[in-house]
Amino acid sequence: MAKAVTRFVCQACGAVHPRWVGRCESCGEWNTIVEEVAERRPAPGGAARVAFVGLRGESEPPARIATGLAELDRVLGGGFVAGSAVLVGGDPGIGKSTLLLQAAAALARGGRRVLYVSGEEAVEQVRLRARRLGLADAPLHLAAATALRDIAETLGSERAAALVVIDSIQTMWLENLESAPGTVGQVRACSHELIRLAKASGFALVLVGHVTKEGAIAGPRVLEHMVDAVLYFEGDRGHQFRILRGVKNRFGATDEIGVFEMTEAGLAEVPNPSALFLAERRGNIAGSAVFAGLEGTRPVLLEVQALLAQNPGGAPRRPVVGWDAGRLAMLLAVLESRCGLRLAAHDVYLNIAGGLRVQEPAADLAVAAALASAAADRPTDAGMVFFGEVGLSGEVRQVPQADARLKEAAKLGFRAACLPRRSGRAKGRPAAPESLELDEIGHLADLVGRFGREAGNR
Ligand code: TYD
Ligand code: MG
């Protein structure tokens, strides 16, 4: 006999409490506890013995289903994996449905059986989008449905599909749960059922998930643990490009990114993001420096912009877009105490042009160059890229994959690179193109000194 149990689940973190409380003890959020009724089935039969095996053995690499959208396939680690589940998260309106419709249509055109279940939009709306994207002829199987019991029944009885897209998991519901669609209980139960089916029938499953305004997928931790890969689709609504970022991947590398551009005709792949991010750069302006960054395994060149404004009275403002405000504060302190750059009486504005968010410490040197250039009112060398981490004593430290960064810089026509001085361990020139002039820096003061005395005296 199935027995109904009542439990209290936090909608923010998924923690289960025995009784209702005002504040979740697990994540500290207020008013997030919701009562849910779950069915507990008694375990059938007795227990079996678990067989242990050695680490060595014959295992095939997982079968990949490549979509042909290179930017998506790279983030997935070579394509969807049969029998696995991928969560694609992102803000509403960022382009998740567009991306998945394009991927699904590409696979269907390649002769794969693809099912697309839309819980948010009616069939006519999806057809309209397909027409606009020029995909109406793709032999895709489309359904508008939200009742998971019906969907599961259909998936279990139909001819096996290669890919099933559920758009979105927050609209799905199981009738034996009393909570509303989108609550942790429903999201968890529906995902569980779909993932079980994917494993049993061998189709690749994509769950689309909306991100709440706090930046988490509803039922966040529960879902992230249940799926094999988590991809976030992000971007600034004001900019046309979108980044697909892998944050978890059991079958591939994380930290890979795919870059797309939202156009009239859907998402276009951007095989060369550096060119896109630098497209609007103007040389010869003080306060700008090009950072040779790395996103996953991929080198990306970005423009760092700094602007200083006099602020003799009051607390100086330090707004930052695309970088860490704490990191900027640290760098300003190092510039002040170790390099004699006086910025205390200035407001400092810092921006990573294009809207990308940089997380690498390797950006320190480029940010410092932009700041020193702004302070001296002298432009940095427009043909030079910068990368390197800065320590608290002002020393410039090595960062990973100098070779890849230098290669990208040369490919985009840069003439020189300012980078950390190599220590005793790493002798010899990095495997950089011969044409590239290398300007190695040991201490940040050496860089600030290039901008002349004005920088130090300001
Ligand atoms: P959508 O894929 O519906 O977003 P999500 O599923 O993440 O909520 O994308 C919606 C936005 O994309 C919408 O504001 C319009 C825009 N868009 C384009 O600019 N070009 C296009 O070809 C398409 C289909 C959408
Ligand atoms: Mg959508």
Side-chain angles (χ1 to χ4, degrees), residues 37-277:
V37 181
E39 226 174 64
R40 185 179 284 163
R41 289 197 201 100
R49 292 188 78 126
V50 175
F52 288 90
V53 296
L55 288 177
R56 266 202 288 198
E58 294 294 306
S59 312
E60 295 271 306
R64 297 276 181 182
I65 309 164
T67 62
L69 298 173
E71 297 293 305
L72 172 62
D73 289 341
R74 177 184 26 246
V75 180
L76 287 167
F80 291 108
V81 174
S84 79
V86 180
L87 171 66
V88 177
D91 286 321
I94 206 71
K96 300 182 293 298
S97 301
T98 307
L99 175 68
L100 289 166
L101 190 63
Q102 286 182 228
L107 282 175
R109 276 183 176 157
R112 308 269 191 170
R113 187 171 155 78
V114 181
L115 313 182
Y116 192 108
V117 181
S118 175
E120 304 207 330
E121 289 158 310
V123 163
E124 205 35 58
Q125 275 174 294
V126 181
R127 283 186 173 158
L128 203 70
R129 174 182 288 140
R131 227 171 293 149
R132 198 140 60 86
L133 298 173
L135 302 173
D137 64 313
L140 189 75
H141 301 265
L142 172 68
T146 56
L148 199 84
R149 210 163 71 107
D150 303 346
I151 296 168
E153 170 66 26
T154 317
L155 290 180
S157 56
E158 291 239 333
R159 189 157 62 80
L163 178 74
V164 176
V165 179
I166 303 289
D167 186 3
S168 67
I169 188 64
Q170 276 117 340
T171 56
M172 300 293 142
W173 59 280
L174 273 164
E175 61 194 8
N176 57 350
L177 292 184
E178 284 193 5
S179 45
T183 54
V184 172
Q186 286 284 8
V187 166
R188 173 166 36 201
C190 293
S191 306
H192 190 268
E193 182 60 17
L194 287 163
I195 291 167
R196 191 187 62 76
L197 275 166
K199 289 219 162 67
S201 334
F203 59 80
L205 172 69
V206 176
L207 302 175
V208 174
H210 288 302
V211 169
T212 62
K213 51 182 188 308
E214 291 81 31
I217 294 178
R221 283 163 217 172
V222 272
L223 254 190
E224 293 196 356
H225 290 310
M226 288 167 78
V227 297
D228 299 297
V230 180
L231 315 182
Y232 275 95
F233 204 35
E234 51 187 49
D236 192 303
R237 217 75 76 75
H239 290 101
Q240 79 283 20
F241 72 86
R242 302 279 181 269
I243 308 281
L244 187 66
R245 202 183 280 279
V247 294
K248 162 180 174 176
N249 196 344
R250 286 192 184 139
F251 303 106
T254 49
D255 282 345
E256 276 301 348
I257 64 164
V259 183
F260 297 88
E261 192 175 359
M262 186 56 104
T263 69
E264 290 288 291
L267 291 157
E269 300 186 59
V270 179
N272 187 351
S274 300
L276 175 75
F277 293 133

Side-chain angles (χ1 to χ4, degrees), residues 13 20 30 59 82 84 89 106 170 206-207 210 238 252 308 336 343 378 391 397 414 441 449:
C13 73
W20 192 87
W30 287 93
S59 312
S84 79
Q170 276 117 340
V206 176
L207 302 175
H210 288 302
L308 304 182
E336 177 124 15
L343 297 169
R378 283 172 60 172
R397 300 167 155 259
F414 283 85
I441 299 259

